[in-house]
């Protein structure tokens, strides 16, 4: 998901603009910054592109998830339903506010299985958090219906799927809140950064205050601002936001490039009888950052993944054995390893994941290979890659 591959003059110009202003912090210094507000500029551009009322940019995607949850009033002892296949930031953000991550199975979308979500709901559930892994989404229509039925919040983690859509709405805007990551290897990047989007004004105000030590940001004297509630520092710098200001304008071009490369690679292997593709829910359009497909068995998937690498087809991932992205290797969560004492609510409520049955997830993720789509490939490189992929994968019937 490498927006950094196509850094150019627009990014340099935006960063130079900040350096020329001399103000690298997003708040304060009104008199000397000559009306340069890159974080605010990025928020406005993001809200417009995502067709929502409000956006708040923060220091990372992990910060975005954390701020989104607490801005919606989620806290100690509240349960947040999340998938077994995601990034560790999902449960880190939940634990950071004393809430409890409730892992449930994924289905052939490689995201939350609505039936598993329904079975996991308790009187302590507050949020359902689908994670749009590898550029595609969950069955959002079904999840929204479940949330409405049980009076729950739907929080979209769209960190890997910016630029995709569902039912004509940009991913991240379908739920009550949506989150993005702008780290170095996302479709668009700030180097480090993230964002929350919402149509709920209260959530926006809470996010704005909470991400800056609880400052209310009223007036133009930072020293006299009041603090309506506790907050922490999840601010983005003007330098990082400046890169994002350039990249958000290029998002649609990047997605177009990804779709072109993705389509050619998929067409190359589409005729193979041993390959099936992840299901994209009706009404959904991917952002085409990964081409994800299933082999017939876990053993064949492992062998095919190794063979692809050995044949020079790089950037293909076998998530089943991945330390960061699949529950099997999250020993620090399973064993509750923390530098400090965990909240008692977490200790009391966290399921014993060493005994959990996620065989339904295993059946899908164990057979999955995901191939990253790079922006910098030439048409010739894409064609050559497609030929190699077909040659390798045809051996694993």
């Amino acid at each position: 998901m490498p927006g950094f591959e196509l850094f150019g003059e627009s990014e340099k110009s935006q960063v130079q603009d900040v350096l020329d202003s001399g103000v690298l912090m997003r708040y304060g210094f009104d008199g000397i910054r000559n009306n340069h507000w890159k974080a605010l500029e990025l928020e406005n551009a993001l809200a417009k592109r995502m067709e929502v009322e409000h956006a708040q940019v923060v220091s990372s995607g992990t910060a975005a998830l954390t701020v989104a949850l607490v801005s919606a009033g989620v806290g100690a002892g509240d349960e947040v339903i999340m998938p077994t296949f995601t990034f560790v930031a999902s449960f880190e953000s939940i634990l950071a506010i004393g809430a409890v991550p409730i892992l449930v199975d994924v289905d052939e979308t490689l995201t939350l299985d609505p039936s598993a979500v329904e079975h996991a709901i308790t009187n302590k559930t507050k949020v359902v958090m689908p994670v749009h892994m590898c550029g595609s989404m969950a069955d959002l229509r079904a999840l929204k219906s479940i949330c409405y039925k049980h009076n729950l919040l739907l929080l979209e983690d769209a960190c890997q799927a910016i630029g995709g859509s569902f039912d004509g709405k940009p991913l991240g805007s379908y739920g009550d809140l949506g989150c993005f990551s702008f780290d170095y290897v996302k479709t668009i990047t700030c180097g480090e950064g993230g964002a929350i989007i919402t149509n709920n004004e209260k959530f926006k105000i809470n996010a704005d205050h909470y991400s800056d030590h609880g400052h209310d940001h009223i007036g133009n004297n930072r020293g006299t601002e009041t603090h309506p509630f506790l907050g922490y520092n999840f601010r983005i710098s003007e330098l990082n936001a400046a890169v994002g200001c350039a990249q958000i304008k290029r998002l649609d071009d990047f997605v177009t490039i990804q779709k072109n490369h993705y389509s050619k690679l998929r067409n190359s292997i589409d005729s193979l009888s041993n390959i099936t593709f992840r299901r994209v829910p009706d009404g959904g359009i991917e952002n085409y950052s990964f081409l994800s497909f299933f082999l017939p068995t876990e053993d064949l998937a492992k062998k095919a993944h190794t063979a692809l690498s050995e044949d020079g087809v790089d950037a293909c991932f076998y998530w089943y054995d991945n330390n960061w992205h699949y529950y099997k290797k999250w020993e620090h969560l399973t064993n509750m390893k923390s530098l400090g004492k965990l909240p008692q609510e977490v200790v009391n409520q966290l399921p014993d994941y060493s005994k959990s049955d996620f065989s339904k997830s295993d059946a899908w993720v164990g057979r999955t290979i995901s191939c990253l789509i790079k922006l910098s490939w030439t048409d010739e490189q894409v064609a050559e890659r497609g030929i190699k992929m077909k040659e390798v994968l045809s051996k694993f019937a």
Side-chain angles (χ1 to χ4, degrees), residues 224-238:
T224 62
E225 292 173 359
T226 61
H227 303 81
F229 46 74
L230 290 170
Y232 295 90
N233 182 5
F234 293 113
R235 296 189 305 262
I236 194 171
S237 79
E238 288 286 272

Side-chain angles (χ1 to χ4, degrees), residues 167-232:
D167 276 358
K169 296 173 67 67
L171 290 180
S173 71
Y174 192 85
D176 299 285
L177 296 135
C179 292
F180 301 106
S181 171
F182 303 136
D183 73 20
Y184 194 55
V185 289
K186 292 300 186 291
T187 299
I188 60 172
T189 180
C190 292
E192 289 288 355
I196 305 110
I197 61 172
T198 184
N199 286 313
N200 187 305
E201 185 178 11
K202 181 181 178 181
F203 294 168
K204 159 62 180 179
I205 292 171
N206 288 346
D208 173 72
H209 296 2
Y210 185 80
S211 60
D212 184 31
H213 299 294
H215 278 270
D216 65 9
H217 300 140
I218 295 175
N220 58 5
N221 185 343
R222 186 169 173 80
T224 62
E225 292 173 359
T226 61
H227 303 81
F229 46 74
L230 290 170
Y232 295 90

Side-chain angles (χ1 to χ4, degrees), residues 81 104-108 111-121 139 142-143 146 360:
I81 293 175
V104 305
D105 277 315
V106 300
D107 58 19
E108 68 274 24
T111 56
L112 279 180
D113 179 350
S115 63
V117 169
E118 186 90 58
H119 286 110
I121 293 171
D139 276 315
L143 293 177
I146 291 170
K360 291 182 178 179

Side-chain angles (χ1 to χ4, degrees), residues 87-150:
F87 180 57
V88 293
S90 297
F91 64 77
E92 288 171 346
S93 62
I94 297 166
L95 291 172
I97 59 173
V100 183
I102 303 299
L103 275 59
V104 305
D105 277 315
V106 300
D107 58 19
E108 68 274 24
T109 66
L110 294 177
T111 56
L112 279 180
D113 179 350
S115 63
V117 169
E118 186 90 58
H119 286 110
I121 293 171
T122 72
N123 61 0
K124 294 181 179 179
T125 305
K126 291 294 179 69
V127 179
V128 174
M129 187 168 75
V131 182
H132 305 325
M133 286 293 289
C134 301
S136 190
M137 74 297 302
D139 276 315
L140 287 172
R141 200 176 299 112
L143 293 177
K144 195 167 191 175
S145 177
I146 291 170
C147 288
Y148 181 80
K149 174 182 175 182
H150 295 278

